[in-house]
Amino acid sequence: MTEPRLRFHPDKSHRITFLTGAGISAESGIPTFRGEKGLWEEFDAEELATVEGFERNPEKVWAWYDLRRTQALQCKPNPAHETIAVLEKSGFDTAVITQNIDDLHRLAGNDRLIELHGNIWKVKCTRFCGVWEDRTAPYPHLPPVCACGSLLRPHVVWFGEMLDESILASAYMRLGETDLCVVVGTSGTVQPAAGMAGIAKASGAYVVEVNLEPTPISDYADESHFGKAGEILPKLFGEYLEQN
Ligand code: BJW
């Protein structure tokens, strides 16, 4: 089998944008949503990832997020996250637009990060007192309650909810000016994220996909590399990384 190689040769004048999904964290031990052993095989998205499900049974939704917070505490960035972080540290103009809430890009060291679907460590008041970070897991009593007396909820985006407007605006601005768009580990099924590689392509970016298998993005990607992100990304970008 031939080694994966990039046909686009980035230099430091290029803007590189990584669009990442659950597959980039699979090798860190975080389950994906779809496919074999995906979360939606075992858990009901209607019950656990919608406002209506939360309103019906906040204890159940919180128990699921608490379990995932506890699991996430054990997980570390893998070579795919690390490659992207070292590229940023090496002086490349990179940005990461992620659908993941697991915080692993930040832990790897990426500063230029756009989190489309929120962050598992952030909670917000259901009456909009505010959003804050909370790295404790699990909560002693579920569901946790805000100082104002209302329920707290995870600061994540559920089905049927709008994404934060300013976050979306930053993502679209970056996509419109990017030269190289690398799409890693997303099934490309959930909007609006699923359309973002297409927006970059329409704005002139060269699109590279890394996934275990073909997705709708493969139809228009300039190159697709099929295999594990933790193995492929270090090979694609290894020659550009400066060792500190
Ligand atoms: C590897 C690998 C390895 C594995 N290496 N690769 C009809 C009714 C109602 C709504 C809609 C509708 N039609 C469309 C909508 C809108 C909806 C949507 O898109 N639904 C589709 C499913 C049809 N979108 C929304 O509701 C969004 N809001 C919105 O659009 O607002 C406007 C609107 C409102 C109402 C109606 C219409 C419009 C919000 C979406 C929020 C998504 N939230 C979740 C949960 C976040 C919180 C949490 O984590 O708990 O986000 S769902 C879940 O899916 C999560 C993910 O971020 C997201 C995407 O998943 P991702 O990352 O692609 O993962 P997978 O598992 O799908 O794929 C993994 C991939 O990795 C696979 O391809 C593997 O092959 C690969 N892989 N291991 C490389 N080692």
Side-chain angles (χ1 to χ4, degrees):
M1 202 165 112
T2 53
E3 287 292 285
R5 288 184 70 89
L6 268 186
R7 296 202 298 272
F8 183 105
H9 301 288
D11 62 41
K12 289 180 181 172
S13 73
H14 289 120
R15 295 191 176 107
I16 309 174
T17 304
F18 290 88
L19 278 176
T20 67
I24 197 171
S25 298
E27 291 155 72
S28 295
I30 307 252
T32 60
F33 292 91
R34 296 166 188 83
E36 207 185 324
K37 297 198 185 142
L39 288 170
W40 299 151
E41 286 274 293
E42 190 182 345
F43 300 101
D44 183 346
E46 285 285 330
E47 278 182 17
L48 298 169
T50 64
V51 173
E52 295 75 20
F54 182 76
E55 284 171 354
R56 277 195 298 271
N57 196 340
E59 290 84 356
K60 183 168 187 174
V61 174
W62 259 114
W64 189 59
Y65 277 92
D66 238 23
L67 175 72
R68 291 172 65 204
R69 283 157 68 101
T70 306
Q71 288 170 344
L73 274 182
Q74 321 295 322
C75 297
K76 294 188 175 55
N78 67 54
H81 301 101
E82 284 158 5
T83 298
I84 300 174
V86 177
L87 205 59
E88 182 181 305
K89 296 282 174 286
S90 302
F92 282 87
D93 181 348
T94 63
V96 180
I97 302 176
T98 189
Q99 295 172 79
N100 299 344
I101 63 169
D102 58 32
D103 220 22
L104 292 184
H105 286 297
R106 190 171 285 106
L107 275 180
N110 276 103
D111 291 329
R112 292 192 288 273
L113 180 60
I114 298 174
E115 292 175 313
L116 296 174
H117 293 164
N119 185 298
I120 198 165
W121 299 112
K122 290 183 180 163
V123 295
K124 62 184 176 187
C125 175
T126 46
R127 282 213 188 127
F128 305 108
C129 290
V131 174
W132 58 92
E133 182 136 342
D134 175 2
R135 272 185 184 269
T136 54
Y139 276 103
H141 302 290
L142 295 178
V145 175
C146 180
C148 76
S150 310
L151 289 184
L152 289 172
R153 58 161 280 182
H155 182 45
V156 300
V157 182
W158 287 322
F159 286 114
E161 290 193 293
M162 302 301 281
L163 279 69
D164 181 283
E165 258 177 51
S166 64
I167 288 176
L168 263 185
S170 328
Y172 288 134
M173 184 173 292
R174 177 72 191 188
L175 292 163
E177 60 188 24
T178 205
D179 300 296
L180 172 62
C181 177
V182 188
V183 191
V184 188
T186 176
S187 57
T189 50
V190 176
Q191 297 295 350
M196 289 190 173
I199 289 170
K201 172 96 180 175
S203 308
Y206 186 88
V207 175
V208 175
E209 182 188 37
V210 177
N211 201 304
L212 290 182
E213 59 189 23
T215 72
I217 295 160
S218 319
D219 293 345
Y220 59 84
D222 293 287
E223 45 185 281
S224 291
H225 299 274
F226 298 118
K228 291 183 175 178
E231 293 171 6
I232 291 181
L233 281 185
K235 289 178 181 158
L236 293 181
F237 289 98
E239 65 185 281
Y240 302 102
L241 306 181
E242 287 165 16
Q243 307 303 328
N244 295 312

